[in-house]
């Protein structure tokens, strides 16, 4: 039942530039994120602001198709929320709720807020320049239009950037925009794509060339110049304010795409400005998110993993991991921002895993092939024989190759697996074996792994899991695709275990009111409309 146990939530209408324009081809979500509303709900996106005094208003939603993702897979028409919590769910709960306001959903589909149980949104929040996400556009002209619209809020001569979650495969042209096209933006532009390729325009070319970075006549920046370009942008443009602006912006952007909880899986550590798209200072990169949380301005929830990569020959051993385990707290914070475990690299081999188990922390590693995942499971079995890990909810992510005997062995130790990560992949039967996993008792959940090597937009990956196709329309999953309901379950209720929070991932009384109103019915639209 409902108990008012958390800090009160107030919301404000979305003020950023992403709402509602030019998303004709794609599913775009009209309301998201922890609704405890005071403003006028008109199917625009709302930003949740925790730590604000409560207004105590009870809000009822009626006439919806509310997919609760509860254990019985209930679909109901009404929902009542108060102060960021779900008060009641059913077909006849609005009238007697004493709601101060009632919202007619006009038949729209509602789902629980999507949980991305492993992405790299903290990296994306720390990009230099005015990072402009482009994961919802699929032609070069639409991308240019978004960047041009963005330029209205970007001072002249400041960089508009898209660094990481963008790919040539997402565009119908199957290439990135070129210099001439990017010149239309009217600001210096810098794009570095997840699956390779770096581009700038004439203003950017001039800026880079005065700093010794070689740029081709068509705006292409090759390797290793692209790394130098990124490092130079980081050196000259990053400030605490710019990081905070981008952090708020990207959380808001993904909330509009339906993600209300991110579990961030870390970065490769660099002390100073790095040439690597997956690198940041892992001791300071959370600062902008911590600042947003302090100010009560988190647009979505964040869980933080700590990535470690100690050298196996280090002396003394485990120099960074041992200090982390001594000096930090796992699962510490509030409902909006909380630490998690060690990952997505534990880094210290069996010794590292042993230290993590001894300290009672969660551990996560990723696997890129069969040999890798077999080794990870063998190492966990070694540690589990000494220190039981079954209550620590350890995770292995990606698992493109994962035969059933490995699922049996992982499940026997209480180890769960995260899958997803597929929209940009190519090849035949590239995995993971979704159908096998769905029929197996092992814990499984959805992750995008997006931010540096792939996209975060959940609909692109949900499309791949349900259709078996990548963004270029090629079949990559063989016979392992899932139903839409199973797929959404991976990204909502099945992710409770991975977030370690039963009050998220389903629309049930007492849970956080993280709900998403879809612009179209995910369950019945044509396949190609999912993205
Ligand atoms: Zn990752």
């Amino acid at each position: 039942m409902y108990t008012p146990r958390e800090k009160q939530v107030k919301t404000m209408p979305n003020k950023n530039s992403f709402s509602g324009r030019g998303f004709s081809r794609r599913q775009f979500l009209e309301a998201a994120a922890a609704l405890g509303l005071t403003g006028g709900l008109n199917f625009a996106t709302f930003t949740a602001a925790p730590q604000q005094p409560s207004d105590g208003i009870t809000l009822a939603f009626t006439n919806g198709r509310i997919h609760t993702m509860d254990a019985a897979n209930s679909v109901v028409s009404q929902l009542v929320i108060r102060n960021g919590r779900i008060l009641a769910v059913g077909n006849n709960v609005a009238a007697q709720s004493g709601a101060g306001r009632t919202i007619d959903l006009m038949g729209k589909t509602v789902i629980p807020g999507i949980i991305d149980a492993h992405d790299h949104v903290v990296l994306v929040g720390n990009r230099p320049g005015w990072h402009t996400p482009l994961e919802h556009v699929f032609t070069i002209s639409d991308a240019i239009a978004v960047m041009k619209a963005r330029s209205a809020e970007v001072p002249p001569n400041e960089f508009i950037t898209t660094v990481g979650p963008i790919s040539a495969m997402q565009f119908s042209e199957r290439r990135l925009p070129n210099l001439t096209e990017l010149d239309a933006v009217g600001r210096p532009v810098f794009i570095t794509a997840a699956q390779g390729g770096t581009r700038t325009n004439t203003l950017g070319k001039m800026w880079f060339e005065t700093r010794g970075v070689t740029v081709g006549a068509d705006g292409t920046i090759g390797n290793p110049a692209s790394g130098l370009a990124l490092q130079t942008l980081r050196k000259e443009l990053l400030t605490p304010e710019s990081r905070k602006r981008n952090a708020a912006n990207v959380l808001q952007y993904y909330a509009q795409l339906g993600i209300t909880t991110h579990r961030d899986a870390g970065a490769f550590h660099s002390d100073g400005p790095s040439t690597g798209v997956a690198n940041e200072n892992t001791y300071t990169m959370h600062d902008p998110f911590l600042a947003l949380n302090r100010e009560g301005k988190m647009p979505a929830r964040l869980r933080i993993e700590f990535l470690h990569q100690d050298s196996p020959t280090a002396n003394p051993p485990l120099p960074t991991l041992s200090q982390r385990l001594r000096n930090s707290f796992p699962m510490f914070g509030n409902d909006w921002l909380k630490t998690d475990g060690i990952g997505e690299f534990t880094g210290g081999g069996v010794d590292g895993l042993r230290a993590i188990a001894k300290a009672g922390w969660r551990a996560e590693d990723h696997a890129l092939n069969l040999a890798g995942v077999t080794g990870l499971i063998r190492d966990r079995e070694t540690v589990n024989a000494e220190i039981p890990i079954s209550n620590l909810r350890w995770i292995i992510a990606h698992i493109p190759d994962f035969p059933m005997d490995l699922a049996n062995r992982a499940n026997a130790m209480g180890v769960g697996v995260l899958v997803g990560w597929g929209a940009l992949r190519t090849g035949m039967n590239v995995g993971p074996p979704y159908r096998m996993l769905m029929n197996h008792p092992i814990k499984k959940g959805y992750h995008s792994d997006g931010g540096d090597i792939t996209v975060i937009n959940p609909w692109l990956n949900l499309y791949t899991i349900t259709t078996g196709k990548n963004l270029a329309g090629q079949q990559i999953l063989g016979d392992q695709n899932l139903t839409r309901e199973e797929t959404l379950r991976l990204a909502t209720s099945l992710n409770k275990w991975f977030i370690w929070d039963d009050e998220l991932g389903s629309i049930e009384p007492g849970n956080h009111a993280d709900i998403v109103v879809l612009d179209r019915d995910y369950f019945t639209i044509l396949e190609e409309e999912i993205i």
Side-chain angles (χ1 to χ4, degrees):
M1 292 310 295
Y2 173 73
T3 45
R5 67 193 115 170
E6 76 149 3
K7 285 176 183 155
Q8 309 305 347
V9 175
K10 188 177 165 220
T11 63
M12 63 189 87
N14 168 48
K15 293 193 194 68
N16 76 26
S17 61
F18 299 112
S19 56
R21 292 194 306 271
F23 304 119
S24 53
R25 206 185 128 213
R26 300 288 157 157
Q27 180 133 7
F28 194 79
L29 312 178
E30 297 175 284
L35 296 164
L37 303 169
T38 58
L41 179 68
N42 54 4
F43 300 107
T45 298
F46 283 77
T47 306
Q51 301 160 0
Q52 305 256 344
S54 166
D55 54 29
I57 289 178
T58 301
L59 185 63
F61 294 82
T62 60
N63 193 25
R65 294 184 53 77
I66 301 166
H67 290 256
T68 64
M69 293 288 144
D70 66 5
N73 203 19
S74 311
V75 181
V76 299
S77 61
Q78 299 185 348
L79 167 67
V80 182
I81 67 177
R82 183 194 290 158
N83 296 334
R85 292 275 178 175
I86 294 165
L87 200 59
V89 177
N91 293 315
N92 192 21
V93 294
Q96 70 265 35
S97 68
R101 291 190 60 206
T102 298
I103 308 292
D104 184 352
L105 289 164
M106 296 182 287
K108 289 194 185 257
T109 297
V110 177
I111 61 171
I114 289 172
I115 298 167
D116 191 338
H118 167 146
D119 65 22
H120 297 278
V121 75
V122 171
L123 270 173
V124 185
N126 278 280
R127 298 309 191 195
W130 294 72
H131 177 84
T132 301
L134 293 172
E135 294 178 45
H136 61 288
V137 292
F138 302 91
T139 65
I140 285 173
S141 61
D142 283 351
I144 300 299
V146 170
M147 288 188 150
K148 272 174 95 165
R150 176 71 150 165
S151 71
E153 60 184 311
V154 176
N157 299 317
E158 292 200 16
F159 264 89
I160 291 179
T161 56
T162 306
V163 179
I166 174 177
S167 149
M169 191 198 281
Q170 81 188 60
F171 297 115
S172 56
E173 296 89 347
R174 307 280 179 249
R175 63 172 177 83
L176 296 174
N178 62 31
L179 174 136
T180 315
E181 290 157 342
L182 293 172
D183 278 348
V185 175
R187 298 286 184 279
V189 174
F190 178 80
I191 293 174
T192 280
Q195 303 287 332
T198 297
R199 299 285 184 278
T200 190
N201 60 359
T202 300
L203 290 171
K205 188 173 191 296
M206 287 160 53
W207 191 90
F208 284 118
E209 285 177 343
T210 61
R211 288 157 175 84
V213 178
T214 308
V215 180
D218 65 349
T220 300
I221 307 180
N223 288 324
S226 59
L228 179 60
L230 179 57
Q231 184 180 47
T232 306
L233 288 169
R234 281 170 162 157
K235 259 185 207 159
E236 297 200 25
L237 306 187
L238 278 172
T239 64
E241 293 69 35
S242 77
R243 290 179 195 261
K244 203 170 106 184
R245 180 191 69 221
N246 280 343
N249 225 323
V250 299
L251 287 178
Q252 179 63 41
Y253 176 79
Y254 293 117
Q256 287 179 261
L257 290 168
I259 303 177
T260 53
T261 301
H262 299 261
R263 184 168 164 277
D264 185 83
F268 299 133
H269 177 73
S270 294
D271 284 320
S274 169
T275 57
V277 76
N279 289 61
E280 250 301 335
N281 185 321
T282 58
Y283 296 101
T284 58
M285 69 179 185
H286 304 105
D287 289 354
F289 295 88
L290 293 166
L292 289 174
N293 184 50
R294 273 195 302 276
E295 294 169 19
K297 291 180 180 165
M298 290 286 281
R301 303 177 199 280
L302 180 66
R303 305 293 181 257
I304 293 168
E305 267 197 307
F306 300 110
L307 187 151
H308 286 270
Q309 291 187 291
D310 287 332
S311 161
T313 57
N315 187 19
L318 305 175
T320 68
L321 179 62
S322 62
Q323 292 306 317
R324 174 77 67 192
L325 296 172
R326 268 190 204 117
N327 295 309
S328 297
F329 305 108
M331 308 295 167
F332 180 76
N334 61 27
D335 285 331
W336 290 88
L337 189 152
K338 199 180 280 188
T339 64
D340 192 281
I342 305 297
E344 67 176 291
F345 290 98
T346 56
V350 171
D351 288 341
L353 293 174
R354 193 179 281 119
I356 295 167
K358 207 184 245 175
W361 282 55
R362 159 183 273 176
E364 176 178 11
D365 280 289
H366 82 203
L368 299 175
N369 51 47
L370 184 59
V373 73
T374 305
L376 292 180
I377 287 177
R378 191 185 53 232
D379 289 351
R380 280 151 181 75
E381 287 170 339
T382 302
V383 171
N384 187 48
E386 303 166 26
I387 308 162
I389 61 169
S390 59
N391 293 322
L392 299 178
R393 300 197 187 190
W394 284 18
I395 298 171
I396 299 176
H398 310 350
I399 57 163
D401 295 306
F402 198 65
M404 195 185 300
D405 69 299
L406 291 185
N408 295 340
R409 287 165 63 187
N411 189 47
M413 294 184 281
V415 171
V417 291
L418 284 172
V419 290
W421 186 65
L424 303 182
R425 303 203 73 208
T426 55
M428 302 275 282
N429 300 310
V430 299
Y434 292 104
R435 173 52 59 203
M436 182 277 284
L437 292 169
M438 218 61 202
N439 296 338
H440 194 281
I442 192 170
K443 300 290 185 194
K444 54 264 171 184
Y446 164 79
H447 76 319
S448 71
D449 197 30
D452 50 342
I453 61 147
T454 186
V455 289
I456 294 177
N457 180 348
W459 302 103
L460 309 187
N461 288 313
L462 267 53
Y463 166 80
T464 293
I465 300 170
T466 59
T467 65
K469 293 183 221 169
N470 65 15
L471 282 190
Q474 299 154 339
Q475 274 291 342
I476 60 168
L477 291 187
D479 60 358
Q480 291 295 310
N481 58 313
L482 301 179
T483 68
R484 295 184 195 190
E485 190 266 329
E486 289 170 324
T487 302
L488 188 61
R489 194 164 278 281
L490 278 176
T492 55
S493 58
L494 289 176
N495 263 344
K496 290 170 184 278
W497 189 87
F498 294 86
I499 294 295
W500 218 317
D501 189 340
D502 287 340
E503 297 180 346
L504 297 170
S506 61
I507 300 175
E508 299 181 79
N511 282 4
H512 294 286
D514 292 13
I515 64 170
V516 178
V517 181
L518 302 179
D519 67 341
R520 278 166 278 170
D521 183 15
Y522 160 77
F523 295 95
T524 58
I525 52 177
L526 295 173
E527 260 183 10
E528 303 303 319
E529 282 191 82
I530 294 174
I531 51 178

